[in-house]
């Protein structure tokens, strides 16, 4: 109800987000600015029960077949643009992209045939993959940003998450030997019995051992994962989030999104805050000016579609202007601020006129402040953004991903 009422209020419409099996064979991205690229590698050595992302147990033959068709998809989309399209960045997620490290160069070569990357290449890693050999290979193929899924340095929380205990000394040695522009480490907060001291320990351990960027995401209980972990009460979450933020501020770390902090200005890692992006691979999403589409979650169905010379799109939503504005604001606010000029350039409209009452109300409630150029979240605003994001995740993402995990190509979904 909360997400539905908010959507209707902000979009000025009763229309839900409608996703159908219809999709465009040609994607209009050539004229878009601030375009990012995402590639999904859906293979893991071990499947974590709490993880909601599209993944499957690694098999060499199947992964090679998948990569063959992933490269075909890149060419299918890339050939739709005349000349090379300038893009901000390329991110590899998963899954565990390092499992196909010997084929990453082929994927990057295919990307480089059609796109010119200006801000570098990022890649997600499991702690066990952080070795001198792997990092050397990644650096040699042009990767300059890495994100390591630590979750916690403490065995008591790894056990809760069903993750194996790791010898981090080898990882720290590798990071000391091979340098990257950004070394980000991901953590989960709001786990059962987790205290601020536990999180402070993880934060300090990360920055003392090679990280110049951290991401601290709240545990979200996705219904379809069937995890047995009980989420923390919201009142306790807020205390933890505020303490984390204040501690990082006191240490002089730069907050560049709701969940991320860096020790240096240029250390950034996020595949989320892009005005537009193209997604390649199973379950990858694409966001354009007037549409949002998601690829099938079924690897076999993905391969079959591409072998027929068709895009592997499972669902597409064509935005109304109001819906696109809400989507833009939701994900731009993830960076903790919204720039008035950027909104004007993207929509050709004045945010102060369109959302005059909503902005006034948000300021009165202490959620945002402004310096005349940006609307910036306060500590209180950041918590309630998280609070609303949880509802959004369970109302929209959880429902869509559950359906897609069971049906390769659903006819339609209303959210």
């Amino acid at each position: 109800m909360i997400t539905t009422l908010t959507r209707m209020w902000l979009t000025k419409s009763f229309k839900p987000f409608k996703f159908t099996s219809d999709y465009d064979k040609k994607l209009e991205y050539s004229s878009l600015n601030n375009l990012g690229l995402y590639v999904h590698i859906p293979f893991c050595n071990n499947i974590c029960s709490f993880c909601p992302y599209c993944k499957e147990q690694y098999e060499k033959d199947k992964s090679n077949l998948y990569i063959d068709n992933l490269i075909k998809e890149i060419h299918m989309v890339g050939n739709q643009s005349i000349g090379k399209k300038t893009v901000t960045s390329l991110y590899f997620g998963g899954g565990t992209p390092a499992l196909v490290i010997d084929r990453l160069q082929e994927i990057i070569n295919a990307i480089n045939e059609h796109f010119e990357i200006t801000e570098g290449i990022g890649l997600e890693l499991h702690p066990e993959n952080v070795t001198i050999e792997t990092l050397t290979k990644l650096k040699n193929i042009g990767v300059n940003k890495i994100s390591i899924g630590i979750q916690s340095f403490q065995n008591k929380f790894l056990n809760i998450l069903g993750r194996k205990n790791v010898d981090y000394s080898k990882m720290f040695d590798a990071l000391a030997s091979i340098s990257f522009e950004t070394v980000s480490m991901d953590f989960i907060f709001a786990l059962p019995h987790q205290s601020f001291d536990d999180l402070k320990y993880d934060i300090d351990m990360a920055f003392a051992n090679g990280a110049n960027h951290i991401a601290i995401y709240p545990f979200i209980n996705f219904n379809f994962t069937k995890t047995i972990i009980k989420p923390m009460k919201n009142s306790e979450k807020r205390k933890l989030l505020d303490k984390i933020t204040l501690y990082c501020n006191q240490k002089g770390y730069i907050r560049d999104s709701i969940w991320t902090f860096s020790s240096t200005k240029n250390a950034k890692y996020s595949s989320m805050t892009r005005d537009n992006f193209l997604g390649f691979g199973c379950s990858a999403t694409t966001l354009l000016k007037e549409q949002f589409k998601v690829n099938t979650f079924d690897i076999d169905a993905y391969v079959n579609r591409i072998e027929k010379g068709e895009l592997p799109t499972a669902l597409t939503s064509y935005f109304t202007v109001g819906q696109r504005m809400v989507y833009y604001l939701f994900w731009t606010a993830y960076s903790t601020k919204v720039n008035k000029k950027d909104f004007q350039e993207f929509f050709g409209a004045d945010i102060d006129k369109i959302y005059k009452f909503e902005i006034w109300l948000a300021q009165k409630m202490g959620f945002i402040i402004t310096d005349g150029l940006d609307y910036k979240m306060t500590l209180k605003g950041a918590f309630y953004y998280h609070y609303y994001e949880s509802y959004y995740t369970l109302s929209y993402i959880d429902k869509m991903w559950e359906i897609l995990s069971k049906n390769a190509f659903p006819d339609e979904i209303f959210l």
Side-chain angles (χ1 to χ4, degrees), residues 250-311:
Q250 290 167 6
K251 298 288 286 187
Y253 301 142
I254 302 162
R255 187 181 199 177
D256 49 27
S257 79
I258 292 292
W259 316 121
T260 61
F261 300 87
S262 57
S263 58
T264 58
K265 186 176 181 180
N266 295 325
K268 295 181 179 180
Y269 193 102
S270 173
S271 58
M272 301 174 70
T273 51
R274 296 289 182 274
D275 291 347
N276 312 279
F277 50 84
L278 294 172
F280 301 106
C282 205
S283 81
T285 57
T286 290
L287 174 66
L288 304 177
K289 186 68 179 285
E290 297 178 349
Q291 67 172 277
F292 178 89
K293 81 180 193 77
V294 55
N295 284 351
T296 180
F297 276 47
D298 187 301
I299 295 175
D300 293 330
Y302 172 86
V303 169
N304 289 338
R305 265 280 185 94
I306 293 175
E307 288 182 342
K308 293 177 183 177
E310 301 175 1
L311 291 176

Side-chain angles (χ1 to χ4, degrees), residues 318 335 366:
Y318 294 95
S335 68

Side-chain angles (χ1 to χ4, degrees), residues 72 82 87 90 95 159 188 214-215 220 249 256 291 302:
K72 290 178 184 177
I82 300 174
V87 296
L90 166 62
N159 292 337
I188 294 179
I214 60 169
I220 296 178
N249 287 342
D256 49 27
Q291 67 172 277
Y302 172 86

Side-chain angles (χ1 to χ4, degrees), residues 78-111:
N79 284 329
Q80 296 178 4
S81 179
I82 300 174
K84 283 192 176 184
K85 170 64 180 173
T86 298
V87 296
T88 57
S89 52
L90 166 62
Y91 288 95
F92 287 90
T96 309
L99 290 175
V100 297
I101 192 166
D102 292 331
R103 299 206 63 187
L104 291 179
Q105 183 69 74
E106 294 176 61
I107 300 171
I108 293 171
N109 288 345
I111 293 285

